[in-house]
Amino acid sequence: SQTIHQWPATLVQPVGSPLSLECTVEGTSNPNLYWYRQAAGRGLQLLFYSVGIGQISSEVPQNLSASRPQDRQFILSSKKLLLSDSGFYLCAWSKGGSQETQYFGPGTRLLVL
Amino acid sequence: DQQVKQNSPSLSVQEGRISILNCDYTNSMFDYFLWYKKYPAEGPTFLISISSIKDKNEDGRFTVFLNKSAKHLSLHIVPSQPGDSAVYFCAASEIRGKLIFGQGTTLQVKP
């Protein structure tokens, strides 16, 4: 069966510090991978998605970037965090193609102070 | 422009009764719809989905209804249980499997 991991679970970072959140998927190959953010009291906003190694699509302009160095690894980064980057970050995977369900990881809660 | 809307931020029902969560969408190109359940500080859990070629899909206590002409989606939970208390998100899929999520509805099931 497939499993998706995210770490860390919780992170408190000062403004201006760098960020690296990691997501890995087990039990499948060549998945589509996604990064979402849920701000407090709001829905899920798609930040990035990837259909393959090195292929990243950005959905919204922002202070963040994503990379996919390996087939089942997806990394969310920032060089300098802003207060507005605080939120709950979720990684998800799907088999790709149309009408495919996305499955989510446990999430990382980021608090920027 | 919010393409998927959940207009009720919260819903409270009595245990054993039916919970009905609603979702509206604007993009007629959406061809796949999903419901997720989310507890605080956890990732969403997939509940049930429906393709645009169907109007109903049932899985145990959960049934999803799709009205394409009205661009309306609903999730019925019967009977509701206290463990169903969570935030429920509807989502619609466009090309390449990208999901557009609603804002979520918080369901509280009272014992």
Side-chain angles (χ1 to χ4, degrees), chain B residues 81-102:
Chain B
Q81 300 173 354
D84 296 329
S85 298
V87 179
Y88 288 78
F89 290 98
C90 67
S93 176
E94 52 176 34
I95 59 171
R96 296 188 184 178
K98 288 167 50 180
L99 293 183
I100 309 298
F101 282 85

Side-chain angles (χ1 to χ4, degrees), chain A residues 43-102:
Chain A
L44 302 174
Q45 182 186 35
L46 179 63
L47 302 176
F48 301 95
Y49 71 94
S50 171
V51 298
I53 296 174
Q55 300 179 61
I56 309 294
S57 296
S58 174
E59 288 297 298
V60 292
Q62 60 202 311
N63 183 43
L64 302 168
S65 61
S67 62
R68 184 169 177 175
Q70 300 180 41
D71 180 46
R72 289 170 288 177
Q73 184 184 30
F74 206 21
I75 297 173
L76 184 68
S77 304
S78 173
K79 292 182 179 178
K80 288 186 178 181
L81 283 169
L82 306 172
L83 287 174
S84 57
D85 291 325
S86 294
F88 193 53
Y89 289 84
L90 290 154
C91 181
W93 75 273
S94 72
K95 292 180 182 177
S98 63
Q99 301 199 359
E100 288 290 343
T101 300
Q102 289 183 22

Side-chain angles (χ1 to χ4, degrees), chain B residues 56-106:
Chain B
K56 177 183 175 181
N57 188 26
E58 193 171 353
D59 184 1
R61 296 186 298 116
F62 302 93
T63 303
V64 56
F65 295 92
L66 176 62
N67 183 334
K68 289 186 289 295
S69 61
K71 294 190 178 67
H72 180 80
L73 185 71
S74 64
L75 174 68
H76 293 208
I77 306 174
V78 181
S80 301
Q81 300 173 354
D84 296 329
S85 298
V87 179
Y88 288 78
F89 290 98
C90 67
S93 176
E94 52 176 34
I95 59 171
R96 296 188 184 178
K98 288 167 50 180
L99 293 183
I100 309 298
F101 282 85
Q103 310 95 307
T105 296
T106 300

